[in-house]
Amino acid sequence: AIAEIAREAGVSRPTVYAYFPSSDAALSGVVARVRDEVRRIQDEADTASVEAMYRSTLVAMLDLQVRHVGLFALLSAEARLDERVSRLWHEIFDQPVRRHARFIDRLVDAGGARPVASSLVVAEAMNGVTARFAQLIVEDDGRREELAAELVAIQQCLLGISEEAPPHR
């Protein structure tokens, strides 16, 4: 696990051991860094328009998931077996999904959206689509622009926002 943590953090294994007393502490440190990056993405969203906000946050989250695909795979697999790792997994994903859902609720209240499902379900669905698209981009990075545009189009569709979808191939 230390080798994977070091690779994810972009440092050597001895560096990980120098800063953290155990692999648990190292993993918690990497998760905290990614969690803070997710919060930053949401805090620094382009608020010029609803579309700009979704485009900026969704594409940034897609890029984050591409960068950390190994960490997310490790956490997902281990979370099923280890309650501590499950808590770390939820630390990264639960708050941003709830925050996304609250934004959808505000958008609905302002008359700017008519979602096809509850705000929490839409937010969870977008998180799942983003994770899958990240895997596809890791396999073929030439698809990034296409999948980023499709991600925004899916969000708009789920929210009932009338924007012209990109042409399908």
Side-chain angles (χ1 to χ4, degrees):
I2 288 290
E4 291 176 40
I5 293 167
R7 184 175 46 255
E8 183 66 31
V11 298
S12 67
R13 285 173 44 171
T15 300
V16 173
Y17 285 117
Y19 285 96
F20 298 100
S22 68
S23 61
D24 289 348
L27 184 59
S28 294
V30 170
V31 167
R33 191 185 86 210
V34 173
R35 179 205 59 223
D36 293 347
E37 187 176 353
V38 169
R39 287 179 183 161
R40 183 188 54 72
I41 287 168
Q42 289 182 321
D43 289 344
E44 296 175 1
D46 180 349
T47 58
S49 69
V50 171
E51 182 184 357
M53 176 173 283
Y54 276 118
R55 185 169 308 283
S56 68
T57 56
L58 289 172
V59 173
M61 286 298 295
L62 179 62
D63 291 340
L64 175 131
Q65 289 207 21
V66 167
R67 280 193 311 278
H68 299 293
V69 72
L71 173 66
F72 296 144
L74 171 70
L75 287 175
S76 179
E78 293 296 319
R80 294 181 193 110
L81 306 171
D82 184 332
E83 179 61 33
R84 180 192 55 78
V85 177
S86 179
R87 283 191 303 273
L88 293 173
W89 171 259
H90 289 287
E91 186 177 325
I92 290 176
F93 289 104
D94 287 354
Q95 182 182 10
V97 166
R98 286 191 309 270
R99 195 172 183 190
H100 187 172
R102 285 191 306 271
F103 176 78
I104 293 170
D105 289 338
R106 287 192 304 275
L107 192 58
V108 168
D109 290 346
R114 295 181 57 203
V116 299
S118 73
S119 59
L120 187 57
V121 167
V122 170
E124 290 282 6
M126 290 309 300
N127 187 61
V129 172
T130 303
R132 176 63 180 143
F133 282 10
Q135 292 171 337
L136 294 172
I137 292 168
V138 166
E139 293 170 10
D140 179 1
D141 65 349
R143 296 191 65 196
R144 183 193 174 278
E145 294 304 317
E146 165 206 356
L147 293 174
E150 294 287 358
L151 190 63
V152 173
I154 291 167
Q155 176 71 62
Q156 291 171 329
C157 182
L158 289 176
L159 291 180
I161 297 172
S162 61
E163 290 287 333
E164 191 171 320
H168 296 285
R169 298 171 214 221

